[in-house]
């Protein structure tokens, strides 16, 4: 089984951090890690799409007239369903006249 140990390499000299392996001679593989304080580079927008985005709306406001019309239809449907609750038996279809009255 392989076991890992943490160490610092300083001018070719190994300084063990914490536990030290109890071997006199061994084959090792060294992985060099980035320094802990290094800063990752920021991602940049490709020039081909820079400035081409647009804001469609926000959470509070509808996007356009179609969205307003759709919301008005949904509000009307909700009112109709509230009005019909208790007045219509389940399974009975409404006539056109009954729908137009509402």
């Amino acid at each position: 089984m392989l076991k890992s140990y943490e160490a610092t390499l300083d001018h070719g000299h190994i300084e063990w951090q914490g536990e030290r392996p109890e071997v006199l001679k061994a084959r090792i593989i060294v992985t060099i890690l980035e320094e802990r304080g290094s800063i990752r580079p920021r991602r940049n927008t490709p020039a081909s799409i820079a400035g081409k985005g647009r804001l469609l709306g926000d959470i509070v406001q509808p996007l356009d007239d179609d969205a307003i019309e759709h919301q008005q239809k949904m509000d009307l449907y909700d009112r109709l369903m509230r009005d019909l609750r208790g007045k219509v038996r389940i399974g009975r279809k409404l006539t056109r006249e009954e729908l137009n009255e509402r």
Side-chain angles (χ1 to χ4, degrees):
M1 180 171 108
L2 299 176
K3 190 163 183 186
S4 298
Y5 298 91
E6 187 174 353
T8 303
L9 182 63
D10 186 15
H11 293 86
H13 194 65
I14 295 176
E15 296 175 10
W16 299 103
Q17 308 291 319
E19 186 181 356
R20 181 180 178 149
E22 296 181 17
V23 294
L24 297 176
K25 184 176 180 181
R27 183 174 166 262
I28 64 170
I29 299 173
V30 177
T31 303
I32 305 295
L33 303 175
E34 292 182 20
E35 291 184 29
R36 290 189 175 140
S38 66
I39 299 173
R40 292 177 17 174
R42 295 190 69 181
R43 292 173 36 182
N44 294 325
T45 305
S48 61
I49 62 170
K52 295 185 179 177
R54 45 178 221 161
L55 183 62
L56 296 176
D58 59 33
I59 296 172
V60 179
Q61 293 293 327
L63 297 176
D64 54 23
D65 292 339
D66 290 336
I68 294 170
E69 183 180 343
H70 176 73
Q71 187 59 49
Q72 289 170 342
K73 287 179 181 178
M74 294 306 296
D75 291 343
L76 180 64
Y77 174 78
D78 289 341
R79 278 197 305 272
L80 176 64
M81 295 308 288
R82 276 195 305 272
D83 290 346
L84 291 176
R85 203 171 289 147
K87 295 180 181 177
V88 178
R89 290 190 325 251
I90 295 175
R92 179 176 168 248
K93 292 185 179 180
L94 295 175
T95 63
R96 283 183 194 247
E97 293 78 23
E98 289 175 309
L99 284 172
N100 288 333
E101 288 176 8
R102 309 234 186 271

